Amino acid sequence: MWIDTHCHLDAHEFGDESAAQAALAKAQGVGMIVIPAVATANFSIVAQLAASVDNACYALGIHPIYVPHAEEDHLRVLREQVAAAMSDPRFVALGEIGLDFFIPMLTESAMREKQVYFFREQLKIARDFDLPVLMHVRRSQDVVLKHVRQIRPNGGIAHAFNGSEQQAKGYIDLGFKLGFGGAMTFTRALQIRRLAAELPLESIVLETDAPDISPSWIHPGRNSPDQIPRIGAVLAELRGLTPEAVAAATSSNARAVLPRLAA
């Protein structure tokens, strides 16, 4: 069984095909898809979608790209929704949260400060409920690591990891797994492919970030969760393993870092 640890199955790019996409992925051996929320507006949507198919679960959080329009009260809503979701077995993590210092608007001083504030407050919610976090870490690896060291959630996943070996070890030392996906399939992505080949296998999980970060054979088209087995086969080739071994290892890693998923 394969696990897609990060897939925006509710995204508008899927239209009314979300359930069909989940079924197609299941037919390809994808036994579970983790659907992160991005803002309070889609909290109920991801929960309902996860409940409507038999191979999906969800996370709740405020994505850094949505922080510009977020209000202080949204953190209260998040805390209340998390408290209510703890009784839902399909709720597995806090996410997607993090920092984005790539988009120009988000790098302005006031917006950097707002991002950091929302990130830290969400880390506190995760810590208070003993939840892992699904983290967005674009051009922000060291800053994210600094705040995670200060406010320790129950581990999590550094989504779409694209940092250095030293940064990777920083996450691993904090109990995090590293998410690898479509970017790894491009032969020019030398650093990502080297890390995917050399980092401890027990620290790696697979993801699509669908509909984004399409693998090389689809780019620039829409990504989808049924691509996980082929993405996993690339990881297997890079490491000199069988796809079956990679499926078993990465799925075990996902269950380890997301205890509610395992349960």
Side-chain angles (χ1 to χ4, degrees):
M1 183 183 79
W2 300 91
I3 295 177
D4 185 349
T5 61
H6 202 108
C7 173
H8 296 283
L9 196 60
D10 65 309
H12 68 85
E13 287 89 345
F14 290 117
D16 60 358
E17 299 176 7
S18 296
Q21 288 291 330
L24 179 60
K26 185 177 181 181
Q28 296 298 317
V30 182
M32 188 57 64
I33 301 165
V34 182
I35 312 170
V38 295
T40 54
N42 81 327
F43 285 2
S44 62
I45 294 171
V46 297
Q48 291 167 8
L49 178 55
S52 70
V53 298
D54 62 4
N55 62 328
C57 54
Y58 69 99
L60 297 176
I62 300 170
H63 191 294
I65 291 176
Y66 289 81
V67 163
H69 305 292
E71 301 172 2
E72 178 76 27
D73 191 57
H74 291 178
L75 292 168
R76 177 191 60 80
V77 172
L78 174 60
R79 184 175 286 273
E80 291 179 352
Q81 291 291 313
V82 167
M86 293 300 290
S87 62
D88 183 352
R90 290 184 180 266
F91 173 62
V92 299
L94 202 85
E96 179 177 357
I97 69 173
L99 298 172
D100 191 307
F101 296 154
F102 173 75
I103 298 173
M105 179 187 72
L106 296 178
T107 64
E108 296 172 1
S109 179
M111 199 50 62
R112 284 176 69 104
E113 290 179 11
K114 188 176 182 182
Q115 280 196 73
V116 168
Y117 174 73
F118 269 78
F119 179 46
R120 287 180 63 88
E121 291 303 305
Q122 292 184 93
L123 285 176
K124 291 174 187 176
I125 294 172
R127 181 191 62 193
D128 292 348
F129 287 93
D130 197 29
L131 289 168
V133 292
L134 308 179
M135 295 197 311
H136 181 99
V137 288
R138 192 154 61 159
R139 299 276 179 92
S140 59
Q141 306 281 353
D142 289 332
V143 183
V144 166
L145 277 167
K146 180 184 79 171
H147 294 296
V148 171
R149 287 189 180 108
Q150 293 173 357
I151 306 169
R152 295 285 186 96
N154 184 22
I157 298 170
H159 151 60
F161 184 74
N162 188 18
S164 67
E165 183 175 1
Q166 182 179 7
Q167 290 163 337
K169 290 179 178 177
Y171 288 112
I172 292 168
D173 289 345
L174 290 166
F176 280 72
K177 306 298 184 188
L178 307 172
F180 285 84
M184 174 182 63
T185 67
F186 290 86
T187 56
R188 66 178 182 273
L190 300 179
Q191 169 80 345
I192 294 175
R193 289 167 69 90
R194 181 180 69 81
L195 291 174
E198 296 178 0
L199 288 172
L201 182 57
E202 60 267 23
S203 299
I204 293 175
V205 294
L206 292 173
E207 58 176 45
T208 58
D209 197 30
D212 299 323
I213 315 187
S214 301
S216 59
W217 50 87
I218 292 177
H219 184 78
R222 183 188 75 180
N223 199 4
S224 53
D226 63 297
Q227 297 302 314
I228 278 288
R230 193 168 173 186
I231 291 171
V234 171
L235 179 60
E237 182 178 0
L238 289 171
R239 299 189 69 100
L241 299 171
T242 65
E244 292 78 12
V246 165
T250 57
S251 295
S252 176
N253 297 342
R255 289 189 291 268
V257 79
L258 303 173
R260 290 176 62 89
L261 186 154

